[in-house]
Amino acid sequence: MLISYFDDYARDYEPYKAGAWCYEDGCLYRGLITLHEATGDRRWLDHLTRLVDAQVDADGGLADYRITEFNIDNIQPGHALLYLHRLTGQARYLDAARQLGRQLTHHPRIASGPYWHKLRYPHQVWLDGLYMAMPFKVELGLALGEQSVVEDAIAQFATALDLTFDAASGLYRHGYDESRLQDWADPDTGLSPAHWARSIGWLAMAFVDVIEHLPQGETRRDLSTRLTAMNDRLAALVTSDHRWLQVIDAPEATGNYPESSATAMFAYALQKSERLGIDRHAPLGRSALQALADLEVRPVEGGRRQLQNVCCVAGLGPFHGIYRDGSVAYYLTEAIRPDDIKGVAPLMMAEAERLLAEDLALTQQGEGRRPPAMNAV
């Protein structure tokens, strides 16, 4: 059922910001990449190529991309550029990826090293940004043979984990303000006040997408230990129907609800954690994936299906005339938007992980597996 839903969704997808290079489209690209890797099915590559080629010109220019915005979100779609370069050898994809690398070379940082979230969010580190930048930076460094780029990404990631960790809960806070100037920032810690599930979902995906590229050794062990501890907390906070709440540790809050994008992100990361040999929470991830398929991918008028209960967006600080204070109450006021790509894409990724596990089981039984994506160009 999910495969046909994803195929319909990708076929009819309209760029999130009228065709401008943006992370929302990049989320879909990542979902299509994982499905192609897991299945070798050409349709996912065809969708990916059609959508990316509409945003990358013959010289590697990116549609409406401006480096001087220093928007960390714009880095995330770079995964598709590196993937298509590996598959096709076309220089324009790598040239475009190098542009994003130049942004990261000059992107402003807080004093301890991690990047600002955006130029308009100065001195702030958000969990979202760790997913947007760090896995790509590691992949770019490996693609270019520049180990210093990889090492800087890992150092930033580890520092950001230290800064955003809340020891009392065992979870990570959405944002950290080095300057302590934001009203949402605790004057002592610089941390935002509540635990938004999707921000932790971005972090969970960043963990596994970084760790998979690291060799065995102290750095991989340290990040794996941190991820295992977080996954254990997720296991303790899952709802009775195998999902996670919008404000993940506040079940008593009026209006709190099982949120689909965070649940999909955790479904992906928990399965991938086990595939990488980090811990043994894949069954929890698969049960979350099944819960979304059963409870939230529902028919709507016209016969199509949509993924329900996706928080459209949430952030910190001023935005469109309101001040987002990072409180429990604030996160529960944000709009819910069915079929938002920030939920559908991680659902693709979670299903891709399930398919990989299924193939591994077949291989162990001597029944073979699907052809790898690299042979499906």
Side-chain angles (χ1 to χ4, degrees), residues 275-335:
R275 179 165 64 83
L276 296 176
I278 295 169
D279 57 22
R280 304 286 292 178
H281 285 304
L284 179 60
R286 285 192 290 273
S287 65
L289 172 63
Q290 190 63 53
L292 289 173
D294 292 343
L295 301 173
E296 299 290 13
V297 180
R298 303 200 296 265
V300 295
E301 186 176 352
R304 294 292 293 272
R305 287 165 289 163
Q306 289 184 336
L307 176 65
Q308 304 297 320
N309 282 314
V310 181
C311 175
C312 182
V313 68
L316 297 165
F319 186 71
H320 289 180
I322 67 168
Y323 191 86
R324 303 170 297 180
D325 65 6
S327 65
V328 172
Y330 155 67
Y331 289 117
L332 298 179
T333 67
E334 282 290 6

Side-chain angles (χ1 to χ4, degrees), residues 38-208:
T39 67
D41 189 329
R42 179 66 190 238
R43 72 176 123 173
W44 310 121
L45 180 61
D46 288 344
H47 286 312
L48 178 68
T49 303
R50 169 177 54 83
L51 293 165
V52 173
D53 282 357
Q55 295 184 320
V56 182
D57 65 26
D59 298 319
L62 298 170
D64 295 324
Y65 167 75
R66 291 180 291 279
I67 190 172
T68 52
E69 290 181 356
F70 290 108
N71 182 342
I72 208 72
D73 290 343
N74 288 336
I75 301 301
Q76 192 275 343
H79 290 287
L81 301 172
L82 295 175
Y83 190 70
L84 290 173
H85 178 257
R86 287 199 303 271
L87 291 181
T88 70
Q90 292 186 37
R92 65 190 179 108
Y93 295 126
L94 188 58
D95 290 342
R98 288 179 187 273
Q99 287 188 68
L100 303 179
R102 283 195 292 275
Q103 176 183 324
L104 295 181
T105 297
H106 300 286
H107 200 97
R109 301 172 182 239
I110 65 172
S112 55
Y115 294 129
W116 290 7
H117 189 61
K118 299 179 184 178
L119 192 62
R120 62 190 177 97
Y121 296 129
H123 312 290
Q124 299 168 44
V125 176
W126 296 9
L127 299 184
D128 321 25
L130 301 182
Y131 176 71
M132 301 302 166
M134 296 310 147
F136 170 80
K137 184 163 183 167
V138 170
E139 286 189 33
L140 181 66
L142 293 173
L144 300 178
E146 297 180 3
Q147 185 60 27
S148 63
V149 173
V150 177
E151 291 172 358
D152 180 64
I154 300 306
Q156 284 198 56
F157 190 49
T159 299
L161 292 174
D162 290 339
L163 293 173
T164 56
F165 184 63
D166 173 48
S169 66
L171 296 169
Y172 294 83
R173 297 287 176 85
H174 187 179
Y176 166 78
D177 176 17
E178 175 189 48
S179 69
R180 314 304 202 263
L181 293 175
Q182 292 298 315
D183 289 345
W184 54 257
D186 183 280
D188 295 322
T189 66
L191 294 175
S192 56
H195 295 112
W196 179 38
R198 187 159 79 215
S199 70
I200 301 171
W202 292 124
L203 178 61
M205 297 197 300
F207 260 119
V208 293

